Amino acid sequence: MPPNLLSRSLTRLVDTLVISVGWWLVLLSILSCIEMVTRKLFNFSLQGIDEVGGYTLAVTAAIGYSYTLITRGHTRIDFLVGKLPAKARALLNTLAMLTLAAMAVFCILRGWVVLSESIEFQSHSTTPLQTPMWIPQSIWFVGWVLFAVICIYLALHALWLLLRGETDALNRAYGPQTLEEEIESEAGEVLEQLREEQKHEGVKA
Amino acid sequence: MIGPVEIAIGFLIMLVLMFIGLHVATTMFITAILGAVLYLGMPAVNAVGNQLWAANEDYVLLSIPLYILLGEILVRSGTTDKMYKSLADWLNFLPGGLLHTNIGASALFSAVSGSSVATAATISTVALPTFKTRKYDVRMVLGSIAAGASLGNLIPPGIAFLIYGAMTNTSAGRLYSAGIIPGALMTLMFMGTILAISLYKPELTGDKEAEAPLREKLGRLKHLLAPLIVFGVVMGCIYTGWATVTESAALGVVVALPIAWAYGQLTVKMMHEAFRATLRLTAMSVLILTMAFYLNFVLGLLGVTQSLASVVQALDVSAVQLLWVLAVFYLLLGIFFETLPMLVGTVPLVFPLITAAGIDPVFFGVFMVLMCEISLISPPVGMTLYVIQGVRGEGTIKEVFDGTIPFFLTMILMTALLIHFPQIALWLPNLSFG
């Protein structure tokens, strides 16, 4: 992301949402366990955990798309791209960002239709909870909008870098992750913790 | 209904888009939209919205973030180092010594962690320093770590089975049940490979560890308990029918919390890191999966299922022949592809073929996951191999490739066993689910 206030604000917003969804997942897990126990022991069931769980996945994924985008985690096959000259890579990296943004925009346009129909027809789920569908769908939709906005922002930035001929900066910011970056983002903290421990034990020995 | 030629062209277009480096999700989306626009018209294009919501609002799929979260919490409890030492206590007597521990520790770790990159990186960090002073052949060390790290998805609870189950409407519980024996067998075959090599060429193995006193060994045994407890609780609940796959995952998260606490690692900071990692891995899989659902929807309307089924009937191939053809196809594809794109990108086309040939979907799930595992360690692109080399930071990648070869061949042998004795996968689920 370009280093400016907008990038920092978006990153902070997404991070806050990610943390909130995380705590919600923990809470939902605890509720599921309580439901399992009361169902087995007292034949009493908290209705609707599964329904809320379904909505939770939709929201978790929609929020996660943005976070994965910012941390450059969305999967690409870099086998061939990695072997091309820098100029060609820059072109393909920009193309990847533009097509991703186009897909996201198309998805929110169609997603809006789903949401607006739920509002217009006052759809409810056909379950004991009778959830008004616009509630989970709007949170899901907001997640998609956030994803689309960040996609467009990054795609424009990539295009800008391409037009200015800043090939290296473009490839660094929008190319597939390098091996070191991938290791860092998937296991960085865990490895740090391990090395810390190994150092500690080295001192003891 | 569209013919096999159009289907092949569509698949090729998708592959080309993948190879020029578009995001895998985008390539599936473009292919689906292309099919919809060319053959079906606007209603199929406009269905995207409802398909997106329907694909994501799914309680079974909620198990994906929950299993990942459970793994992330356990991985951050800082047990890996201690788990490795404890495993070494009990596996050291075998010829090949610490190499067996690499397999066992990677298998355990990758069973709880949703990321093969994280597994390979973590086990390498734990194991490589231990080998520095012990004169093992470096290729064997690297190969055994790579082999172990590839086991994760086969040993439940893995994400690949959940994704395959969601795409093909196959019960995740059955798939998990079917993965157990092949997973255990694969582990034993890897250890058998090490054993055979160590007996045939003892110079490749290094110095034996001094046997630790029994008291110490028993004291350390508790560190193996954490992953075993979680595995036991999660799988036990699924097999006994006490809980659905998602409920077991939720239970796993709740059990992982006190474990992290017992190791003094349950902090807000740690939880937040676990959340970030969880959402990242979840979104990676679910975005691709969502677009694959839409592609599946379009392929269904296009009559691809019937079209491919008639191809299978016309060719009159047996199930075993078809599986061998697919095995070769996946070996080739696996050279370039990682687990997720390979699984999600091919299942919409391959699944109609195998059902037409009368192959059990649960069995094929195990076969498919095994193919994905092979892709992780097949040179020259296998991701795991580069991660190990990256952590190692010395020597050449060629040493990792060389070390992987015996284990790669063992996996081919496993593929043959699975194809000719499908009961390896099907016996347990048929026993527990009827």
Side-chain angles (χ1 to χ4, degrees):
Chain A
M1 286 181 120
N4 59 30
L5 185 66
L6 180 59
S7 300
R8 282 194 297 277
S9 318
L10 280 173
T11 308
R12 202 170 308 134
L13 172 66
V14 171
D15 196 61
T16 312
L17 290 172
V18 165
I19 301 297
S20 321
V21 170
W23 285 114
W24 171 241
L25 285 174
V26 171
L27 184 67
L28 192 71
S29 299
I30 295 172
L31 287 175
S32 291
C33 291
I34 296 174
E35 201 271 343
M36 263 174 69
V37 171
T38 55
R39 193 179 63 207
K40 290 285 167 206
L41 297 182
F42 311 111
N43 248 332
F44 166 79
S45 166
L46 277 165
Q47 294 286 336
I49 292 267
D50 47 351
E51 188 183 339
V52 175
Y55 303 146
T56 301
L57 180 77
V59 171
T60 306
I63 303 283
Y65 298 152
S66 299
Y67 184 69
T68 310
L69 179 64
I70 293 175
T71 54
R72 288 166 60 205
H74 284 299
T75 314
R76 295 169 65 182
I77 313 281
D78 54 1
F79 171 68
L80 204 67
V81 180
K83 296 192 172 19
L84 297 174
K87 280 261 190 290
R89 259 186 295 150
L91 202 63
L92 290 177
N93 287 333
T94 312
L95 185 68
M97 291 312 295
L98 287 172
T99 47
L100 188 70
M103 176 180 84
V105 169
F106 187 78
C107 288
I108 58 166
L109 291 179
R110 298 314 306 172
W112 169 246
V113 176
V114 174
L115 174 60
S116 61
E117 281 178 357
S118 292
I119 296 172
E120 190 184 342
F121 301 118
Q122 302 190 344
S123 321
H124 288 70
S125 64
T126 51
T127 57
L129 283 188
Q130 295 223 324
T131 317
M133 291 311 289
W134 68 268
I135 299 177
Q137 282 176 351
S138 3
I139 309 176
W140 165 76
F141 183 69
V142 168
W144 265 99
V145 170
L146 188 62
F147 176 56
V149 166
I150 301 176
C151 272
I152 296 170
Y153 176 50
L154 296 186
L156 289 178
H157 182 233
L159 199 58
W160 168 247
L161 290 176
L162 183 74
L163 294 178
R164 286 172 48 112
E166 296 184 34
T167 316
D168 288 341
L170 197 163
N171 287 338
R172 236 178 296 122
Y174 299 103
Q177 284 191 313
T178 62
L179 186 68
E180 289 74 28
E181 285 168 336
E182 193 150 355
I183 295 176
E184 176 58 34
S185 56
E186 304 235 332
E189 300 118 10
V190 178
L191 293 186
E192 205 173 296
Q193 188 185 349
L194 268 173
R195 292 199 185 104
E196 200 71 14
E197 258 171 56
Q198 284 172 346
K199 219 187 293 166
H200 192 72
E201 276 178 23
V203 171
K204 260 197 311 194
Chain B
M1 194 170 102
I2 66 170
V5 177
E6 286 98 327
I7 297 174
I9 292 174
F11 185 64
L12 275 180
I13 290 176
M14 189 174 81
L15 282 188
V16 169
L17 293 177
M18 283 185 186
F19 276 126
I20 64 167
L22 298 197
H23 294 86
V24 171
T26 322
T27 67
M28 304 186 130
F29 181 74
I30 294 176
T31 313
I33 290 286
L34 213 58
V37 169
L38 288 179
Y39 297 97
L40 299 167
M42 282 323 270
V45 177
N46 290 341
V48 168
N50 282 313
Q51 286 295 315
L52 284 185
W53 173 250
N56 282 356
E57 187 255 313
D58 187 330
Y59 183 57
V60 178
L61 286 184
L62 181 67
S63 52
I64 294 180
L66 294 184
Y67 279 125
I68 296 177
L69 179 59
L70 130 74
E72 292 296 335
I73 295 175
L74 276 188
V75 165
R76 286 176 165 73
S77 318
T79 55
T80 318
D81 217 6
K82 304 183 181 82
M83 180 183 91
Y84 188 89
K85 289 208 179 76
S86 179
L87 260 180
D89 286 341
W90 305 96
L91 294 176
N92 244 330
F93 74 96
L94 292 164
L98 270 181
L99 296 173
H100 295 284
T101 311
N102 285 351
I103 301 284
S106 308
L108 268 182
F109 190 94
S110 60
V112 289
S113 165
S115 155
S116 49
V117 172
T119 305
T122 313
I123 298 296
S124 306
T125 308
V126 172
L128 289 176
T130 352
F131 280 98
K132 276 243 163 73
T133 52
R134 289 184 174 80
K135 300 187 194 119
Y136 280 83
D137 185 89
V138 70
R139 291 167 303 177
M140 287 300 291
V141 176
L142 301 167
S144 57
I145 296 174
S150 74
L151 280 167
N153 274 314
L154 208 52
I155 300 172
I159 306 302
F161 278 130
L162 293 174
I163 291 176
Y164 173 85
M167 291 187 68
T168 61
N169 263 322
T170 310
S171 143
R174 268 178 187 272
L175 286 166
Y176 275 168
S177 179
I180 289 238
I181 294 179
L185 185 61
M186 193 74 255
T187 313
L188 289 177
M189 281 167 69
F190 281 156
M191 293 172 71
T193 308
I194 294 175
L195 209 60
I197 294 176
S198 315
L199 291 174
Y200 181 64
K201 285 198 160 177
E203 68 273 19
L204 292 182
T205 62
D207 302 343
K208 265 258 172 302
E209 304 304 289
E211 182 91 0
L214 190 63
R215 265 179 79 95
E216 226 172 88
K217 280 163 75 167
L218 288 175
R220 276 202 288 261
L221 197 57
K222 62 172 185 281
H223 300 303
L224 277 181
L225 277 180
L228 290 180
I229 288 176
V230 172
F231 179 82
V233 168
V234 168
M235 287 298 115
C237 282
I238 294 178
Y239 292 142
T240 52
W242 264 55
T244 64
V245 170
T246 313
E247 286 169 339
S248 309
L251 193 59
V253 171
V254 172
V255 173
L257 292 175
I259 294 177
W261 177 77
Y263 281 94
Q265 300 290 343
L266 188 64
T267 59
V268 170
K269 180 169 172 282
M270 181 282 262
M271 289 301 283
H272 287 186
E273 280 168 5
F275 295 157
R276 291 189 188 105
T278 302
L279 260 77
R280 191 167 184 274
L281 284 175
T282 304
M284 259 159 99
S285 318
V286 176
L287 186 64
I288 297 180
L289 189 58
T290 307
M291 294 311 156
F293 274 134
Y294 178 61
L295 180 61
N296 237 349
F297 165 78
V298 171
L299 293 183
L301 292 179
L302 286 172
V304 166
T305 312
Q306 296 88 319
S307 181
L308 290 177
S310 60
V311 171
V312 171
Q313 271 145 17
L315 288 177
D316 196 30
V317 289
S318 71
V320 169
Q321 284 165 337
L322 180 62
L323 285 171
W324 272 114
V325 171
L326 287 173
V328 173
F329 166 72
Y330 279 122
L331 279 180
L332 292 176
L333 207 59
I335 295 175
F336 313 103
F337 276 39
E338 291 170 59
T339 305
L340 193 63
M342 196 159 113
L343 180 67
V344 183
T346 60
V347 160
L349 289 183
V350 169
F351 194 70
L353 291 176
I354 66 111
T355 38
I359 296 167
D360 189 308
V362 174
F363 164 79
F364 190 71
V366 176
F367 175 84
M368 189 67 233
V369 169
L370 181 63
M371 292 298 115
C372 292
E373 310 286 51
I374 297 181
S375 79
L376 282 176
I377 67 164
S378 56
V381 186
M383 188 65 207
T384 317
L385 309 180
Y386 285 89
V387 173
I388 295 171
Q389 176 62 19
V391 172
R392 182 178 168 224
E394 57 182 27
T396 62
I397 184 77
K398 173 131 190 333
E399 290 167 322
V400 189
F401 290 167
D402 289 349
T404 312
I405 289 169
F407 300 101
F408 182 73
L409 295 176
T410 309
M411 288 184 118
I412 306 284
L413 177 65
M414 177 71 195
T415 310
L417 282 176
L418 196 63
I419 290 177
H420 291 280
F421 304 97
Q423 285 307 316
I424 297 172
L426 291 175
W427 179 74
L428 193 60
N430 288 344
L431 188 76
S432 45
F433 295 92

